[in-house]
Amino acid sequence: MAGEGTAGPGRRVTLGMDARAVHSTGVGRYVREVLAALFADPRFGRLVLLGEPDELHALLAEWGTEGQATVLPFPRSWSSHRAQLAWARMAARGQTRADVWHFPFSDVPLLLHPRRSVVTVHDLIPIKLPGLVRRRERIASTIVLHAGARLAWRMIADSESTRRDIVSYVPGAAKKVEVVPLGVGPSFRPLEPAEAAHCSRAQGLRPYLFCVGNRFPHKNHVAAVDTLARVRAGGSAMRLVVAGGTANAHWPHVMRHAEALGVADAVVDLGKVSETELRCLYAHCTAFLFPSLYEGFGLPVLEAMACGAPVIASNRTSVPEVMGEGGLSVDPGDSQAMADAVARLERDPGLRAEWIRKGREQAARFTWESTTQRTMEILYRAACS
């Protein structure tokens, strides 16, 4: 098989990694954390990285690791014929030789697949929520999922919920899938008094409910708007602040719903924000609202708890695994229950303090160090198998 190398326990191994998503949201954070850990782990020698050369060389220069990696230009299009053919050409020329390959977001080569590979699956959104993607993308995602389950040495799932989803579609993958939760970095923490002074925009928006995520229907912003309307009906001046990602074709539907309920002026869409401002927004919200209908993990819930935001989140898919007892779990279709929870937080400072304490304790159980250490172990075992 292409990419086959030779390694044994105690030896430094060569690893290949698809790094196309290194600067994307969500998966990009995972790719950067794993990549940084690989450079720091003495068991791994030279890395072979797929991606956009200028982007990757700039990152390697920033980290001071340029001499430790070979960058191979690779199409950014995922689950595409173009990417599959590019891999096949490079593999045929011997450019992809490595002891193990890591494919960190499901998309795997179908032809000349390396003998030792590890595939991370973050969610099955294209398969489980077909209305969000084109038919071609859904078919392609199904094909690469089955291929990954058949060809990979191991698969990694972010959550037990995602592991169950994988096995429900590919029962034969049950023995291959290991659950390795994501983490939250030390930069996500409650604000120090001096830092709070730089949060003028967040402070000026108070009181507000806060949502983080893309604008796709499964994020269920309609329910967040319903919750806002119910809270404001009681005389509150509450706003709904949305950040992360940008407006898409679904967002006008959400805003029309807000207009119908008479709360459109109270919905504030900030789009993409910096990590510094994100911390400010978490820290100053009345509550972090996460009514998602489907998540592979739910990283914003973890970030919110780590920053000291009281969390009201969906009781579906992976979210309860992440939140644990660190917030209030609700049916994402029950906006009245969410509004009642907000009202309880507003009138009971003791309850708010308790939720914040429990949330921080829960978030402390998830670290990127743990995520990357467990991932390194799987990758090294694969290389030495």
Side-chain angles (χ1 to χ4, degrees), residues 3-226:
E4 183 178 351
T6 302
R11 295 183 58 185
R12 297 188 80 193
V13 302
T14 300
L15 179 139
M17 184 174 181
D18 185 344
R20 285 177 290 171
V22 70
H23 287 311
S24 68
T25 58
V27 175
R29 167 77 67 170
Y30 174 77
V31 171
R32 291 192 300 277
E33 293 287 348
V34 172
L35 190 56
L38 284 166
F39 281 123
D41 192 322
R43 294 174 297 179
F44 295 91
R46 192 164 187 81
L47 271 59
V48 180
L49 305 178
L50 303 182
E52 204 286 314
D54 290 343
E55 184 177 73
L56 288 175
H57 283 304
L59 181 65
L60 296 175
E62 178 185 336
W63 289 355
T65 56
E66 278 194 290
Q68 300 177 48
T70 298
V71 175
L72 300 178
F74 204 71
R76 193 179 289 273
S77 53
W78 285 273
S79 300
S80 68
H81 290 91
R82 185 181 173 207
Q84 291 292 334
L85 290 173
W87 170 274
R89 284 194 294 267
M90 290 190 301
R93 292 194 293 262
Q95 293 175 283
T96 62
R97 289 186 63 83
D99 297 308
V100 61
W101 270 87
H102 185 203
F103 300 103
F105 41 89
S106 304
D107 194 8
V108 302
L110 304 179
L111 301 174
L112 300 178
H113 189 95
R115 186 169 73 86
R116 302 181 185 93
S117 69
V118 175
V119 179
T120 298
V121 180
H122 298 281
D123 59 58
L124 269 64
I125 285 176
I127 299 172
K128 291 189 68 70
L129 304 177
L132 294 185
V133 299
R134 292 174 295 180
R135 182 172 179 270
R136 184 194 67 79
E137 293 172 358
R138 183 174 73 254
I139 293 171
S141 295
T142 302
I143 290 172
V144 295
L145 173 67
H146 282 265
R150 178 172 55 88
L151 298 170
W153 185 82
R154 284 290 184 274
M155 301 181 81
I156 296 173
D158 291 345
S159 64
E160 181 61 31
S161 175
T162 296
R163 190 199 70 82
R164 289 194 299 268
D165 283 346
I166 295 169
V167 174
S168 71
Y169 281 93
V170 193
K175 294 182 178 180
K176 282 189 176 184
V177 187
E178 297 189 37
V179 176
V180 180
L182 302 183
V184 63
S187 61
F188 286 97
R189 62 188 187 279
L191 296 173
E192 299 293 338
E195 293 176 308
H198 300 286
C199 294
S200 57
R201 179 156 75 160
Q203 292 170 341
L205 290 169
R206 293 184 300 182
Y208 63 90
L209 304 176
F210 187 37
C211 290
V212 173
N214 61 48
R215 306 298 188 271
F216 290 114
H218 70 285
K219 294 298 185 181
N220 202 21
H221 288 105
V222 167
V225 168
D226 285 338

Side-chain angles (χ1 to χ4, degrees), residues 210 323 351:
F210 187 37
M323 186 169 67
L351 178 65

Side-chain angles (χ1 to χ4, degrees), residues 209 222-232 289 334-335 338-339 342:
L209 304 176
V222 167
V225 168
D226 285 338
T227 301
L228 172 69
R230 291 178 184 276
V231 171
R232 287 178 67 89
L289 201 59
D334 192 346
S335 57
M338 287 184 267
V342 172

